[in-house]
Amino acid sequence: MDYLLVSVIKTLLIAPLLLATLAYIVWVERKVIAHVQLRVGPYFVGPHGLLQPIADAVKLLTKEDFIPSGVNHFFYWAAPWLGLMFAVTGIAVIPFGPTVDIFGTKVNLGLADINIGLLWILGLGGMGVYGIALAGWSSNNKYALMGALRSSAQMISYELPMALALAAPLLMSNSLNLREVIETQAGFVYGVIPNWNLFTGFQLIGFIVYMICAFAETNRVPFDLPEAESELVAGFHVEYSSMKFAAFFMAEYCNMIIVCSVATALFLGGWHPIVPPAVATFVPTLLFGISAGFLFYHGMNNIRPNDRYSFPFFGVVFAVLALVFLIPGVGPILNSLFWFFGKVGFLLFFFIWVRATLPRYRYDQLMKIAWLFLFPVALANLVLTAFFVTLFNK
Amino acid sequence: MYSLFPPEFFKLTIPLPGYLILSAILFTIGVATFLFRRNVITVFMAIELMLNAVNLTFVTFSNHFGKVDGQIFSFFVMVVAAAEAAVGLAIILMVFRNRSTLQIDDFDTLKN
Amino acid sequence: MDLVLFLTFALIAVACAINMSLQRHPVSSALSLIGVMVSLAVLYVLLGAEFIAAAQLVVYSGAIMVLFVFVIMLLNTGAEKMSKKAGTAHFLGFPLLVILLAVASWVITNATSAMKPVKFGAFTGGGPREVGWELFTRYLLPFEVTSILILIAIAGAYRLANKEMD
């Protein structure tokens, strides 16, 4: 079939979904942090603040785009969009479902299926630093410049252990194509333990090293030195406002989605479920059914008057979703999507959880962790895995 | 989308001299930058541009002969360029600490 | 399609290279050089060298140029001043370079225009597996020597940049 046509359709479907997801992750983050800190978070725009992202988008779009004096105009303008561009392009190589038959056409769920998928993501991750570095430099502000310098040093340092940690599962899968890597992780050992890279050999160590590096690469707490509010006011984006400010946030969340997807694909078995397939088919239905029941119950015994209408409405939505997973043709496709996005969603929740829990590191501690702890551990893991692969000829 | 172009459009190939002349143009621009510019860092970047131009030639001939050796060579060029950049930039940092300037014209204490 | 992609990215590469040569500020030059490198990566993919294209992105534009930008920002010396000492280079260099380019193009066209043109997809031996195989069998010794070179470079860079050691 027309490869180009299918690609265009897939892109047109995924791009708006991605943008909506980016907007709603902000909502999820605010809600989760609020509940960790015993607050309610956004509440008044829509039921439980569900329309808050739209209000935020309108606010950011209509706000005055203030440009301070003395900035380098071209780079000041280009930096946020450069960062966002590199972040969004990384999404293209992530496979989020198996190859499926849609009206007789074989369609890969995922935009591009290339041989060098992981290298592409690493390359774009390396380029992502330009957005931050240029923003900090062109703003003509001491704090912004310091944030930019910190960010470039931090990202170069953490790329090394990150690449080493990623190399170990690649050795076991014998491919750089993310789709092939996921496909080697299908099946179960002894019928119960999933055959994921995470449970093979020493990859738990590799996974932990990778996740720590992922926090540093995306400039998230506890490694958010480039934008530390309490010491650098807001670091590299202190002089930005309006849509340019939003572009930085979108790039950050997009990078979070990418690192979580890579972790899912390389360590957590992609779209392969954690329980044997006979049970896995009914897990989404069960989960959505329980959620629907929960919502109906709380809608009936409501504390707040507005929940009388909103809770049952979402209960109906969830119940319909639960039933959709049982339809023969569509069910299996949705099932694999459910497992992939479920894992990515859990990792994203983990990022937010950590942000609400841990304090920030000092700058020298940050560098010490990368060079004296993560780098040797990742290297040892790689060497051990290489021996392991050669010995057992996996 | 496909029907916008005639089928011959997808069969157009690129003549080999196209890549080689592009490489020559990039190399010449690199030499020009190296000669005319007075900032140490820019001069250093001109060297990187020349290395890139040469890499393009290697990869082109690797494609032409159907062998991967040219690509291996360009890989080595990249690695050496990385080592060179690390040492070179460290030297530039040292020089800047001593003389607080990056203008090549000011680095002439060995003259006379 | 190949030809259109080639022409587009060749033009971008040349435009970025010229811009790099003309810009007064080192940051602008560095960014233009990154543009050249990225468009060269696309051309490598067109030539079937996937791994080298990825290495170009990771090593050149992701690591080396970040180092350049980092140093430029660290020193932050502003735009380059015009020089009076480069008169000879300007008068003599430019015509000589044009002659160099003309001769090179003439030789290249004469020598290689009869060779078979480049077709996308005709050469598929540039994937990570093939390159890695060659690198660790036939080119193992150069590979190890390069790693020693890098070790020396790390030590040298550390020694040079570390002021407190003296």
Side-chain angles (χ1 to χ4, degrees), chain A residues 83-105:
Chain A
L84 184 59
M85 187 185 82
F86 289 133
V88 171
T89 322
I91 294 283
V93 294
I94 288 165
F96 39 80
T99 308
V100 293
D101 245 331
I102 297 178
F103 305 122
T105 316

Side-chain angles (χ1 to χ4, degrees), chain A residues 381-393:
Chain A
N381 177 39
L382 181 62
V383 173
L384 283 175
T385 311
F387 273 117
F388 180 76
V389 171
T390 325
L391 275 181
F392 296 95
N393 201 15

Side-chain angles (χ1 to χ4, degrees), chain B:
Chain B
M1 200 63 192
Y2 258 15
S3 52
L4 281 178
F5 307 107
E8 297 83 45
F9 174 78
F10 294 96
K11 293 185 186 113
L12 288 175
T13 51
I14 309 136
L16 200 62
Y19 281 106
L20 298 173
I21 289 177
L22 171 65
S23 164
I25 292 172
L26 290 181
F27 190 86
T28 318
I29 296 173
V31 176
T33 317
F34 185 86
L35 286 179
F36 301 151
R37 298 298 302 274
R38 298 286 108 190
N39 187 314
V40 191
I41 297 180
T42 316
V43 169
F44 203 20
M45 284 193 280
I47 300 175
E48 300 290 334
L49 179 61
M50 287 190 263
L51 286 173
N52 264 289
V54 175
N55 269 357
L56 181 62
T57 316
F58 275 127
V59 175
T60 310
F61 277 114
S62 155
N63 177 295
H64 175 74
F65 293 115
K67 278 184 175 174
V68 85
D69 302 53
Q71 295 179 21
I72 305 268
F73 210 102
S74 68
F75 179 76
F76 282 127
V77 170
M78 274 181 206
V79 175
V80 173
E84 175 211 318
V87 177
L89 287 173
I91 291 175
I92 290 176
L93 271 177
M94 270 312 268
V95 169
F96 185 79
R97 265 190 205 137
N98 285 332
R99 311 190 57 97
S100 36
T101 176
L102 287 179
Q103 290 276 313
I104 277 192
D105 303 327
D106 300 339
F107 304 150
D108 55 359
T109 40
L110 279 181
K111 256 186 195 171
N112 307 324

Side-chain angles (χ1 to χ4, degrees), chain A residues 115 127 130 133 137 156 174, chain C residues 25 50 61 65-66 73 129:
Chain A
N115 259 342
M127 309 264 296
Y130 290 123
W137 173 77
I156 293 181
N174 202 10
Chain C
H25 202 287
E50 293 164 358
S61 37
M65 288 318 290
V66 174
M73 284 178 185
R129 189 162 286 143

Side-chain angles (χ1 to χ4, degrees), chain A residues 133-365:
Chain A
L134 285 179
W137 173 77
S138 66
S139 296
N140 191 26
N141 177 316
K142 275 178 218 146
Y143 295 120
L145 184 64
M146 285 197 61
L149 285 178
R150 280 180 177 191
S151 159
S152 10
Q154 170 181 337
M155 283 171 99
I156 293 181
S157 307
Y158 275 83
E159 230 163 60
L160 220 61
M162 185 173 177
L164 285 175
L166 289 180
L170 291 178
L171 275 180
M172 303 202 290
S173 301
N174 202 10
S175 174
L176 279 174
N177 184 332
L178 289 175
R179 182 173 296 279
E180 286 173 19
V181 172
I182 291 177
E183 271 156 13
T184 54
Q185 299 179 50
F188 290 85
V189 185
Y190 308 124
V192 257
I193 310 167
N195 191 18
W196 299 352
N197 284 335
L198 179 67
F199 301 121
T200 322
F202 319 94
Q203 288 326 305
L204 193 60
I205 304 169
F207 180 67
I208 292 169
V209 170
Y210 173 74
M211 282 314 280
I212 296 174
C213 296
F215 278 99
E217 283 284 304
T218 49
N219 295 325
R220 294 282 301 183
V221 178
F223 302 121
D224 65 336
L225 272 301
E227 45 189 296
E229 282 98 352
S230 46
E231 31 186 312
L232 293 184
V233 269
F236 62 91
H237 56 63
V238 59
E239 297 287 6
Y240 280 87
S241 53
S242 176
M243 268 320 277
K244 298 202 192 84
F245 180 74
F248 279 120
F249 265 76
M250 281 156 79
E252 182 178 328
Y253 286 108
C254 200
N255 277 326
M256 267 165 70
I257 293 179
I258 290 173
V259 293
C260 291
S261 309
V262 170
T264 308
L266 259 65
F267 292 101
L268 301 181
W271 54 80
H272 298 303
I274 193 169
V275 286
V279 190
T281 323
F282 300 103
V283 168
T285 311
L286 204 66
L287 270 179
F288 280 119
I290 290 173
S291 315
F294 197 70
L295 284 172
F296 280 130
Y297 174 79
H298 278 281
M300 296 305 129
N301 309 305
N302 53 56
I303 310 168
R304 305 176 186 87
N306 283 341
D307 292 348
R308 194 162 51 227
Y309 308 107
S310 61
F311 273 20
F313 172 75
F314 284 105
V316 170
V317 171
F318 276 41
V320 169
L321 269 176
L323 291 178
V324 165
F325 273 90
L326 291 178
I327 300 172
V330 193
I333 303 174
L334 285 180
N335 206 16
S336 46
L337 289 181
F338 169 83
W339 283 105
F340 188 85
F341 288 118
K343 288 167 190 173
V344 174
F346 176 76
L347 289 178
L348 284 173
F349 171 76
F350 182 69
F351 269 73
I352 298 167
W353 188 9
V354 166
R355 178 177 168 185
T357 312
L358 291 182
R360 185 180 303 127
Y361 276 89
R362 234 172 36 222
Y363 190 64
D364 58 320
Q365 290 172 333

Side-chain angles (χ1 to χ4, degrees), chain A residues 4 72 75 82 86 115-116 119-120 122-124 126-127 129-130 133-134 136-137 145 148-150 152-153 156 159 173-176 180, chain C residues 1 25 27-29 31 34 38 45 50-51 53-55 57-58 60-67 69-70 72-74 76 127-129:
Chain A
L4 195 62
N72 185 325
F75 289 127
L82 208 64
F86 289 133
N115 259 342
I116 47 167
L119 288 176
W120 172 256
L122 284 178
L124 285 177
M127 309 264 296
V129 69
Y130 290 123
L134 285 179
W137 173 77
L145 184 64
L149 285 178
R150 280 180 177 191
S152 10
I156 293 181
E159 230 163 60
S173 301
N174 202 10
S175 174
L176 279 174
E180 286 173 19
Chain C
M1 196 69 174
H25 202 287
V27 170
S28 317
S29 295
L31 263 286
I34 292 161
V38 172
V45 173
E50 293 164 358
F51 178 75
L57 278 186
V58 176
Y60 258 130
S61 37
I64 297 181
M65 288 318 290
V66 174
L67 215 57
V69 172
F70 182 80
I72 295 168
M73 284 178 185
L74 194 68
N76 212 3
R129 189 162 286 143

